Amino acid sequence: MSIKWLSETIGNHRKLSTVCVADCSHRTAVFSRHKILLMTVIFSILVFVIPAKSEQIPIAVSGEPRATIQIGATATAQEQFAAEEIQNFVEQFTGTTLDIHTNRQQTETATVIVLGTPKSNPTIAGLQANVELTLGDELGDEGYRIKTVEVGTEIVIVVTAHTEQGVIYGAYAFIEKCITALTGLTPVHPDVAVAKAKTLLVPFIDETSAPFYPVRAVLEIEDPDWLARHRINMSGGEGVWTGTGIEDGLGTAFKYVDTPAFEALQDEPIAQRQNRIATLKNRFNALKRRGIDAYLFMYVTGEPTEALIRQRPDVLGPTVLYGASRNEVSYRPFCWSKPEFHTLTKELVQAIVRTYPALAGFHLRSWGHETRACNCPDCGDRTEQGQAKLWEVYFTIIDAAQQIRPDFKFYISGYDSSWLKDADGAYARRLPKGTIFSRKWGADGEPIVDAGVPIPQIRALGEIGHRFIVLSHEVEEVMPFWMLESDLFVQGVRNLANNPEVVGLGGFTVQGATQGLGYLDRLVSARLNWNIELDYFQLLLNELIARYGTEAAPQILNALRVNGWNMANYFLDYAGSLTVGGTYGSGSAGLATRFWTLIGPRPVEDTLAIPELEIAQYASNRFTTLLASQQQAANEIRIAAEIADPFDLEAAEDLSDAVDLMALWVLLFQSRTKLVEAIILGYETETEEAIRAKIISATEFSKSIQPHIKAINEYIPLFGYSHQTIEAELLNTLNAEAAWLADFDYRTLQKHNTDFSPEETPFRISDAHNYPNPLKRETTFTYQLSLDADEVSITIYTTSGRKVKTLTEVSGNEGYNESAWDARDDDGVLLANGVYFYRIRAVAGEQTSQLLGRLAVLR
């Protein structure tokens, strides 16, 4: 009994049943004739369609196909794509090509992989009527069901869903089952490294899955195949995105169309535009075929084209000064109050929507000066009047697009910030239901656990019917390098997922770099959006096992995680060595934490301008802690690299980069430690030569970074800079730092009090740290006391300030002290992964001293 026979027979009997009901004059006769045949079919199905046995199912054996892929004769392009992906991956794994048939073709293999929805593939409908193959409402539009049954002599693997998009995700789930069968690893992802094998046997499957978050997005231009394979359903940064409003604003969006009416407003030759349009059409079609919504990005309103400024002064406001304009002096912004501007906007928007039938929506952003405000009295710039005018522009765009395509979608970023003010949500209520809003993780994508998102705003938008996503960022904080942030990301996401106050949160963007081992974060962040309970540690470990072998993988992962927590710890406050607000010296880290802000004359000057001994001591203690754990990570990754068995050249280069990055951060911390030690020495007498030696040592450590910069194979391309440019700029900056330190008058650091007397020893705590840090199940606090203490306690707090444990009766001897802790709170419960503060407090007579530090728990 074949799948083809089953599907066609069931289809015929459905037709006969319809005839029986419709033809009343022959009702009895028809029923009598077909009742026997129909009962025979049902009996046959009961005999031949039985639950599958617990044995392996052949897909390919000894390089020969043992399975056929079946889709419906009217399968959609997305269902055809799903079938082709299974075909491609099986060929990649085994060198064997599986045939793709429709339900109207005979299947000859022992195994048939049936794809589609009950509507698109009659085979599935037939099976659904006779075996337990329900598709519950909880699957939604993207969930899937995979079930194995036996039909006569054939084994049928059904991959089905309510929609073709769910079928795609089910196909990838089946591919992952194949990878697990070949490698023994689970969980895995479709792109995991797999050695070719001629035989592929899979177990019997009965799996149902649906996404936890409905919006799983990227804001970069990514390969459509990668997006589909990792269950991403939104690409929110399509087109040109420079972040300036000059080339990526509404005012220059004419380049996306080839409409005669706009020819006089173009700055580009027609051939260049036509090439862009063709490229975008192909990309949008490719994304749509994979079930991914493409959103064209535009700043609203951005700077007009030069041609438009010449040809249409009637839509523009008066000239304004702005140093980031095209000519770096001034520009003429759009006047939002002029009807002619709204008419032009409507015509442009509708031309774009007509040009790209596969485009799902617009990503509209208003932020800072990129919005290009008009300062005329009617517009009112950023006043309440100006905000209202900008909203009018948004609704002109939205109405124009939906006149052509009622299903057109919108994603708005920058909402209720410097622009798009909407205190009572009145404008949000006018937007189409399902509009997507977003906010960055933290202040600017910092590597921290607490995403810091506005929960009341998320809830308010969710209650209206909109969705909110968190931009969990593209490692902006360490460019041009990467760091593993999965521990931070997972904890932050789960905190929000388990918060009953969070209503309307639609998901998170993919987080992490595409370069080096930074891609590991991308795997976790993409899959966590689908499955909030993902065993992400095992996913990371399995990926590293596939690329480097079982011996090296655990060490590599541990080193990456320790480094990640260490760097996150550093970026909380730059270990006190750099200011966040610019109060130390002329340099300031601000909110930007790119590597360029950490090296060079300005940050060094900022560090050496630390105005107080206590701040310098704090920085010294922090760096002592950071150095210990960073050296641990550097040593572990170096040893792992020596025993690793890289899967290919790319894997080898990625690991080599990790080794250099770990060593690079050690050297930076060593350099900065010497600087703050020089400051501390400045508060003592007769230390001139010692200060000078510290400055020289800091310079040498800084210089030692340069070979690691040169050894990096792949940088994160910041602002589109080439690898050569990034390398040259980093080396130049480090050389400038060394030159500045060589000219620095180290004697200016001598700030000791002339009345200082060695006999007058103040009571203080110094050199406090804990090791190991991050800790797993225990750690030891170490610290120095200048005098014997009457009382010493160590209190551990969460980052929000909640006390979790106080250690009392700890060592209080003059000099070196240590105290062990089992990482349990006051209730005896092991602390969860995360960053914590600790305070060491000591009392000697009437003197009290205390010191703060940070520790991380990482299991």
Side-chain angles (χ1 to χ4, degrees):
M1 178 178 175
S2 72
I3 286 295
K4 174 178 180 292
W5 184 91
L6 175 64
S7 60
E8 290 188 347
T9 302
I10 291 175
N12 290 336
H13 285 294
R14 284 180 174 168
K15 293 177 184 177
L16 290 173
S17 298
T18 302
V19 171
C20 291
V21 174
D23 191 349
C24 296
S25 61
H26 300 287
R27 185 187 319 168
T28 305
V30 172
F31 180 79
S32 299
R33 281 200 304 272
H34 293 293
K35 179 178 180 182
I36 297 173
L37 182 56
L38 184 60
M39 291 302 294
T40 301
V41 172
I42 293 173
F43 178 75
S44 298
I45 292 171
L46 291 173
V47 171
F48 286 98
V49 182
I50 59 177
K53 300 173 183 177
S54 56
E55 56 191 43
Q56 298 294 296
I57 305 169
I59 304 299
V61 177
S62 300
E64 297 296 326
R66 291 292 185 270
T68 302
I69 303 169
Q70 188 214 78
I71 57 176
T74 60
T76 66
Q78 291 181 336
E79 290 170 331
Q80 292 173 8
F81 171 76
E84 290 166 5
E85 281 290 82
I86 292 178
Q87 183 188 56
N88 292 338
F89 273 95
V90 170
E91 183 174 7
Q92 174 184 316
F93 299 151
T94 67
T96 302
T97 302
L98 305 185
D99 289 337
I100 300 176
H101 289 179
T102 72
N103 65 297
R104 295 175 183 171
Q105 296 173 286
Q106 188 74 30
T107 55
E108 305 296 338
T109 56
T111 305
V112 183
I113 304 165
V114 180
L115 274 78
T117 67
K119 183 181 294 185
S120 69
N121 193 335
T123 300
I124 295 174
L127 289 168
Q128 198 175 45
N130 298 282
V131 296
E132 197 287 303
L133 192 59
T134 57
L135 296 177
D137 293 340
E138 69 276 4
L139 292 183
D141 292 335
E142 297 181 306
Y144 60 83
R145 177 84 188 272
I146 306 177
K147 185 176 177 65
T148 307
V149 296
E150 287 184 315
V151 180
T153 59
E154 292 177 332
I155 298 176
V156 182
I157 303 172
V158 183
V159 181
T160 186
H162 290 302
T163 67
E164 57 265 37
Q165 194 167 7
V167 173
I168 291 177
Y169 298 142
Y172 286 124
F174 174 72
I175 290 166
E176 289 165 4
K177 298 293 183 186
C178 294
I179 294 172
T180 295
L182 290 169
T183 65
L185 303 174
T186 185
V188 292
H189 62 95
D191 290 324
V192 72
V194 177
K196 187 168 287 188
K198 291 188 175 182
T199 297
L200 171 59
L201 307 174
V202 299
F204 286 77
I205 308 168
D206 190 355
E207 176 177 297
T208 301
S209 183
F212 187 86
Y213 283 117
V215 183
R216 304 173 302 281
V218 291
L219 294 184
E220 294 182 329
I221 305 299
E222 296 278 5
D223 174 52
D225 285 335
W226 190 93
L227 296 176
R229 291 167 186 173
H230 296 277
R231 280 70 158 180
I232 303 303
N233 61 4
M234 173 186 175
S235 182
E238 293 295 327
V240 177
W241 191 351
T242 65
T244 65
I246 299 172
E247 298 299 335
D248 52 6
L250 177 68
T252 52
F254 300 98
K255 63 178 173 286
Y256 293 123
V257 296
D258 182 20
T259 304
F262 300 138
E263 190 60 34
L265 308 181
Q266 301 281 3
D267 283 346
E268 294 179 344
I270 187 170
Q272 184 175 350
R273 292 202 313 279
Q274 289 175 338
N275 180 65
R276 177 187 291 110
I277 291 168
T279 300
L280 281 177
K281 281 184 175 180
N282 291 335
R283 177 168 175 82
F284 295 161
N285 287 333
L287 290 169
K288 185 174 183 178
R289 189 166 187 252
R290 290 157 176 78
I292 303 163
D293 285 343
Y295 284 73
L296 184 65
F297 174 82
M298 289 185 292
Y299 270 108
V300 180
T301 51
E303 185 173 345
T305 64
E306 293 179 281
L308 188 146
I309 292 173
R310 292 192 304 269
Q311 299 292 330
R312 293 294 305 271
D314 58 312
V315 300
L316 304 176
T319 300
V320 296
L321 294 175
Y322 179 49
S325 65
R326 186 181 291 107
N327 63 14
E328 298 185 352
V329 178
S330 63
Y331 63 93
R332 289 196 65 183
F334 287 110
C335 181
W336 305 335
S337 301
K338 293 185 176 181
E340 296 87 350
F341 163 66
H342 287 266
T343 299
L344 179 63
T345 297
K346 175 181 178 180
E347 293 170 350
L348 174 59
V349 165
Q350 293 188 337
I352 293 173
V353 176
R354 290 191 181 100
T355 300
Y356 304 100
L359 180 64
F362 286 149
H363 173 183
L364 305 175
R365 178 168 175 78
S366 289
W367 190 262
H369 291 288
E370 292 87 354
T371 294
R372 304 296 196 263
C374 174
N375 292 332
C376 75
D378 290 334
C379 285
D381 194 33
R382 301 193 197 198
T383 64
E384 183 177 348
Q385 177 184 341
Q387 300 282 354
K389 292 293 183 181
L390 180 58
W391 276 111
E392 288 181 20
V393 176
Y394 270 73
F395 287 112
T396 292
I397 294 171
I398 291 168
D399 293 343
Q402 292 197 323
Q403 284 176 17
I404 306 300
R405 291 248 313 272
D407 64 341
F408 207 73
K409 302 176 182 179
F410 301 93
Y411 162 33
I412 295 176
S413 57
Y415 171 75
D416 204 22
S417 295
S418 60
W419 288 106
L420 298 176
K421 294 292 186 182
D422 189 20
D424 59 0
Y427 293 112
R429 281 187 284 273
R430 290 178 54 191
L431 293 168
K433 290 289 193 295
T435 294
I436 297 171
F437 300 81
S438 66
R439 187 71 64 88
K440 282 184 179 181
W441 188 294
D444 200 22
E446 292 87 354
I448 54 177
V449 168
D450 185 3
V453 294
I455 292 177
Q457 186 182 78
I458 295 175
R459 185 169 60 249
L461 292 171
E463 290 171 351
I464 294 172
H466 299 316
R467 289 172 172 172
F468 195 102
I469 62 175
V470 178
L471 308 185
S472 36
H473 231 260
E474 314 296 343
V475 288
E476 180 173 298
E477 64 282 345
V478 289
M479 284 181 177
F481 306 133
W482 51 265
M483 57 181 275
L484 189 70
E485 299 180 52
S486 291
D487 289 304
L488 302 164
F489 178 79
V490 171
Q491 185 173 340
V493 169
R494 287 178 175 167
N495 287 347
L496 288 173
N498 295 321
N499 186 341
E501 295 297 313
V502 180
V503 178
L505 182 58
F508 299 80
T509 58
V510 170
Q511 180 266 336
T514 58
Q515 293 73 24
L517 294 178
Y519 81 94
L520 295 171
D521 277 334
R522 303 179 75 76
L523 299 180
V524 171
S525 59
R527 298 186 70 87
L528 196 73
N529 266 295
W530 183 279
N531 176 15
I532 199 71
E533 301 299 330
L534 171 75
D535 186 348
Y536 76 98
F537 175 86
Q538 195 63 49
L539 176 71
L540 291 172
L541 183 60
N542 290 345
E543 171 67 11
L544 293 172
I545 288 172
R547 296 192 80 195
Y548 302 107
T550 55
E551 187 177 3
Q555 289 181 251
I556 295 172
L557 181 55
N558 190 63
L560 293 175
R561 297 178 76 201
V562 169
N563 178 72
W565 280 103
N566 206 43
M567 297 310 303
N569 192 351
Y570 170 66
F571 284 128
L572 285 174
D573 62 352
Y574 310 98
S577 65
L578 290 175
T579 60
V580 177
T583 56
Y584 291 177
S586 61
S588 175
L591 290 175
T593 50
R594 302 185 185 98
F595 190 66
W596 273 285
T597 69
L598 308 179
I599 59 174
R602 290 193 66 189
V604 169
E605 180 182 8
D606 198 50
T607 299
L608 291 175
I610 289 176
E612 299 174 16
L613 174 61
E614 289 74 14
I615 297 175
Q617 290 172 332
Y618 170 81
S620 177
N621 292 332
R622 293 274 281 112
F623 275 123
T624 299
T625 303
L626 291 169
L627 264 171
S629 55
Q630 186 59 31
Q631 190 66 66
Q632 171 195 342
N635 292 342
E636 195 161 14
I637 200 82
R638 177 178 50 78
I639 294 170
E642 294 173 357
I643 62 175
D645 181 20
F647 181 81
D648 53 19
L649 177 60
E650 182 181 18
E653 290 181 345
D654 288 348
L655 184 54
S656 174
D657 280 357
V659 172
D660 282 303
L661 286 180
M662 302 291 180
L664 179 152
W665 289 114
V666 169
L667 292 168
L668 179 71
F669 292 161
Q670 287 175 322
S671 173
R672 298 317 183 241
T673 300
K674 296 304 178 185
L675 294 181
V676 295
E677 287 175 349
I679 296 170
I680 293 171
L681 286 171
Y683 288 89
E684 301 177 13
T685 59
E686 300 180 1
T687 55
E688 182 175 323
E689 283 305 310
I691 294 172
R692 177 174 174 271
K694 294 289 185 184
I695 298 297
I696 292 173
S697 181
T699 306
E700 292 305 311
F701 279 125
S702 179
K703 288 180 179 178
S704 298
I705 294 174
Q706 297 198 22
H708 297 288
I709 295 292
K710 295 176 183 177
I712 298 292
N713 293 288
E714 197 174 21
Y715 292 108
I716 298 172
L718 180 64
F719 301 135
Y721 293 160
S722 68
H723 181 100
Q724 293 75 15
T725 299
I726 290 174
E727 179 181 306
E729 286 299 315
L730 290 174
L731 294 176
N732 289 340
T733 307
L734 286 168
N735 284 328
E737 175 179 310
W740 191 92
L741 285 171
D743 292 336
F744 176 67
D745 185 356
Y746 59 88
R747 292 171 298 182
T748 61
L749 295 180
Q750 292 183 295
K751 303 175 182 178
H752 65 274
N753 189 333
T754 56
D755 296 328
F756 175 83
S757 171
E759 287 75 25
E760 297 175 4
T761 304
F763 178 56
R764 69 181 186 185
I765 306 170
S766 62
D767 297 332
H769 67 279
N770 68 295
Y771 188 85
N773 188 19
L775 62 94
K776 290 184 178 180
R777 293 188 175 274
E778 60 182 20
T779 193
T780 298
F781 296 99
T782 65
Y783 49 94
Q784 297 268 359
L785 294 177
S786 60
L787 300 170
D788 285 336
D790 300 320
E791 175 188 332
V792 180
S793 64
I794 303 174
T795 305
I796 296 89
Y797 303 87
T798 66
T799 53
S800 63
R802 180 176 61 85
K803 186 183 75 172
V804 295
K805 180 69 176 180
T806 298
L807 306 177
T808 57
E809 299 182 0
V810 296
S811 176
N813 299 321
E814 178 182 347
Y816 177 83
N817 293 268
E818 63 179 45
S819 181
W821 175 51
D822 62 2
R824 295 180 182 273
D825 63 16
D826 283 330
D827 296 324
V829 179
L830 283 170
L831 263 61
N833 284 350
V835 174
Y836 297 83
F837 292 97
Y838 65 86
R839 183 188 66 186
I840 302 177
R841 183 177 182 273
V843 179
E846 296 182 354
Q847 298 185 73
T848 300
S849 179
Q850 58 184 15
L851 200 63
L852 292 175
R854 287 179 174 82
L855 61 84
V857 177
L858 178 60
R859 299 188 180 90

